[in-house]
């Protein structure tokens, strides 16, 4: 922060006439762990103030009203530029369960209101935030969405960003198959969280190119509906709420929902399976229980045309082992802003199609936004010995 | 230590035969009464720099209102069998009063409003609301009712401050930041989970904070609610959220 607070004044939260910076996009997110939350607060405190003790963070963060944290500038190799804001809803990392849904929706709604006040033309809703426009039926039954609608009369559009997330998951699966010399057409694909927006989008993109698809989710009715849709295209589909009920082992796995433990996959996953952790937060790690499996994080893209934060939150808001890596859901809003296409590209639940995935992939690629190098909790996976061997063989 | 200001109460009494929570309420009320008396003194001082007779009358009316709040809190103490002391000379409260008096010295009417209405009242409104939810019977009702009255003050001041900010946002925000560093640093020390600078000189015995969970309160909750109210008030004034976020996270804990 400079001496003058007005030197960083944006239009965010400004009730008066002082709109000094045009905002193309806003990214709404939240921290996935207390560690990342502590790092954000430490960066806000600056080097002249000691970091807060760890036990203070859970006592402070939940009280912070949703608000902008920093400005985000993004560029593309073809010269396009877009300016945005990162807005944190400050949902406490340990309060993502259903019991906190009402409070969390109120936070996301307030964060969305910040984006609207800032004049953002497009808003990407990352992580839990996407629930606001995914149209979750259970929430409608709970009468929550009725009371937590977005502010009316504004020119801001919202996207969940899920289409680009699906694109990067699909690209990552194909890339890992190529790196390991796997024939994807002979693979059995398991999707955990298959009826969600991301899971069903992955199913539509990958089902036609694998041998068999296993779909798992909590809602059997939705599973049947998705299975029927895929079977109509001639795909061999099996559905189950319980992973252990599948008749076959999967050698490709997409976890589109966070798994409490990798051990849940045991018995239904081939010894040398490729496992894409596409949940949020990502919590699968290479496990001693599945020593032959390759776990990698999915849904991440990399910006090659320049990414800057003001104040500098590099490595804090995007904590990845490679530079300028960002979640696909947030990148979708940036790509659309660079393209000057301010439209609600991903909205609702279960409507992501291969055509739409290809469309957003093309937009992103035009602006230098590509699949991020693959890695997991232990580090990069593309340089792992089995990948190098298979690559050289290929 | 300045002498206690009388509020028509009986001399201090020990709470040995009262309910176990009475000593806790005694200290909570002591902080509230001291805060109200400081507010009354601040408004009285403000009246001395107002040029417009209507503003003078408003300030004096506010001062009387704050003294009335202090008296109501004192009466609630007596109702539960305790006499509540106050100490406007206690170290933190004294610092807050001096910060206000610096604005008076500069004849800075807007600065006075920022200190009293934005900073001190955010603390009062948020704390009173929390106490109002858990305090028993009329004690809780009084806290809730005074919180609502204090919010009324803030609304009045907000209109003046919004107009002032619209004239020169940069200058206004710089002024708020300067006063924030002075006033909110002191308030943050008062609101810290533990009093690290020694006794606050308001609690009648040892620090009340560790006992607050016995009445379903906590120092962390009071701090959180106060800082949240402060941030929301600054938002409503139009200050950039990312800027005020940094200010608040830089406060001492």
């Amino acid at each position: 922060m400079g001496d003058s607070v007005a030197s960083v004044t944006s239009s965010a939260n400004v009730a008066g006439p002082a709109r000094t910076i045009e905002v193309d996009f806003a990214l709404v997110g939240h921290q996935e762990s207390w560690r990342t939350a502590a790092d954000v607060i430490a960066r806000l405190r600056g080097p002249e103030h000691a970091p807060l003790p760890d036990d203070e963070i859970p006592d402070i963060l939940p009280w912070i009203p949703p608000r902008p944290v920093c400005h985000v500038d993004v560029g593309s190799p073809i010269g396009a530029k877009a300016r945005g804001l990162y807005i944190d809803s400050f949902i406490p990392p340990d309060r993502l369960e259903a019991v906190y849904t009402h409070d969390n929706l109120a936070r996301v709604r307030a964060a969305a209101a910040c984006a609207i006040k800032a004049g953002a033309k497009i808003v990407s809703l990352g992580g839990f935030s996407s629930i606001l426009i995914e149209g979750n039926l259970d929430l409608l039954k709970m009468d929550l969405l009725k009371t937590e609608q977005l502010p009316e009369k504004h020119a801001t559009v919202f996207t969940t960003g899920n289409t680009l997330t699906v694109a990067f998951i699909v690209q990552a699966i194909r890339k890992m198959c190529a790196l390991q010399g796997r024939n994807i057409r002979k693979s059995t694909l398991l999707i955990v969280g298959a009826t969600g927006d991301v899971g069903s989008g992955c199913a539509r993109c990958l089902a036609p190119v694998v041998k068999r698809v296993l779909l798992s989710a909590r809602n059997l009715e939705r599973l049947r509906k998705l299975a029927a849709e895929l079977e109509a295209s001639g795909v061999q589909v099996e559905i189950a709420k319980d992973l252990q009920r599948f008749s076959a082992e999967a050698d490709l796995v997409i976890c589109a929902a966070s798994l409490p433990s990798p051990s849940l996959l045991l018995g239904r996953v081939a010894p040398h399976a490729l496992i894409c952790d596409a949940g949020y937060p990502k919590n699968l790690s290479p496990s001693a229980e599945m020593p032959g499996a390759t776990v990698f994080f999915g849904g991440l893209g990399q910006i090659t045309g320049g990414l800057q934060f003001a104040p500098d939150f590099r490595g804090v808001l995007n904590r990845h082992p490679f530079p300028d890596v960002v979640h696909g859901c947030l990148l979708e809003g940036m790509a659309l802003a660079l393209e000057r296409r301010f439209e609600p590209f991903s909205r609702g639940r279960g409507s992501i199609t291969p055509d739409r995935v290809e469309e957003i992939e093309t937009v992103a690629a035009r602006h230098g936004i590509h699949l991020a190098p693959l890695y997991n909790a232990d580090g990069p996976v593309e340089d792992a010995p089995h990948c190098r061997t298979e690559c050289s063989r290929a | 230590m300045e002498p206690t200001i009388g509020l028509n109460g009986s001399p201090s009494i020990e709470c040995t035969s009262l309910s176990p929570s009475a000593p806790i309420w005694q200290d909570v009320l002591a902080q509230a009464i001291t805060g109200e008396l400081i507010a009354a003194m601040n408004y009285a001082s403000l009246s001395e720099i107002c040029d417009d007779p209507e503003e003078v009358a408003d300030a004096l009316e506010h001062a009387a209102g704050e003294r009335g709040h202090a008296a109501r809190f004192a009466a609630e103490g007596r109702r539960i069998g305790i006499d509540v002391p106050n100490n406007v000379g206690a170290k933190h409260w004294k610092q807050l009063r001096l910060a206000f008096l610096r604005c008076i010295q500069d004849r800075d009417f807007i600065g006075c409003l920022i200190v009293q209405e934005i900073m001190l009242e955010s603390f009062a409104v948020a704390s009173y609301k929390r106490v109002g939810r858990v305090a028993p019977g009329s004690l809780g009702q009084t806290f809730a009712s005074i919180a609502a009255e204090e919010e009324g003050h803030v609304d009045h001041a907000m209109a003046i401050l919004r107009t002032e900010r619209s004239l020169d946002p940069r200058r206004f925000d710089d002024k708020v930041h300067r006063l924030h560093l002075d006033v909110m640093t002191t308030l943050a020390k008062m609101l810290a989970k533990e009093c690290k600078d020694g006794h606050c000189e308001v609690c009648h015995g040892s620090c009340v904070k560790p006992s607050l969970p016995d009445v379903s309160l906590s120092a962390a909750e009071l701090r959180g609610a106060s800082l949240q109210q402060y941030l929301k008030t600054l938002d409503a004034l139009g200050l950039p959220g990312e800027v005020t976020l940094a200010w608040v996270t830089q406060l001492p804990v």
Side-chain angles (χ1 to χ4, degrees), chain A residues 245-310:
Chain A
R245 296 181 72 93
F246 286 120
S247 63
E249 284 183 340
D251 49 6
L252 289 181
V253 181
I254 296 172
C255 292
S258 292
L259 276 180
S261 162
S263 62
L264 289 174
L265 294 172
L266 288 177
R268 292 299 83 199
V269 167
H272 299 287
L274 295 177
I275 303 173
C276 176
D277 182 356
Y280 186 87
K282 302 194 183 303
N283 57 1
L284 292 183
S285 57
S287 159
E289 294 164 324
M290 295 186 295
T294 302
V295 176
F296 58 97
F297 294 159
L300 299 161
Q302 188 173 35
I303 296 172
T304 59
L307 174 68
Q308 288 181 319
F309 298 99

Side-chain angles (χ1 to χ4, degrees), chain B residues 67-82:
Chain B
R67 277 192 75 85
H69 291 163
R72 284 165 66 189
F73 282 135
E76 285 300 334
R78 287 192 293 278
R79 205 188 303 269
I80 58 172
I82 52 175

Side-chain angles (χ1 to χ4, degrees), chain A residues 105-124:
Chain A
L105 270 173
R107 283 177 178 275
V108 175
R109 183 175 172 271
C114 286
I116 291 167
K117 271 188 189 174
K121 298 181 183 78
I122 188 166
V123 183
S124 271

Side-chain angles (χ1 to χ4, degrees), chain A residues 296-351:
Chain A
F296 58 97
F297 294 159
L300 299 161
Q302 188 173 35
I303 296 172
T304 59
L307 174 68
Q308 288 181 319
F309 298 99
D312 188 1
F313 273 89
R314 265 177 311 173
V316 176
L317 290 178
N318 57 339
R319 309 162 67 95
H320 307 284
F322 302 99
D324 299 344
V325 169
V326 179
H327 286 278
C329 54
L330 300 180
L331 285 171
E332 185 174 299
M334 296 188 198
L336 290 167
L338 286 167
E339 187 80 350
R340 314 308 288 174
R341 269 180 71 173
F342 301 109
E343 60 185 78
F345 195 89
S346 306
R347 207 176 164 90
R349 175 177 172 149
S351 57

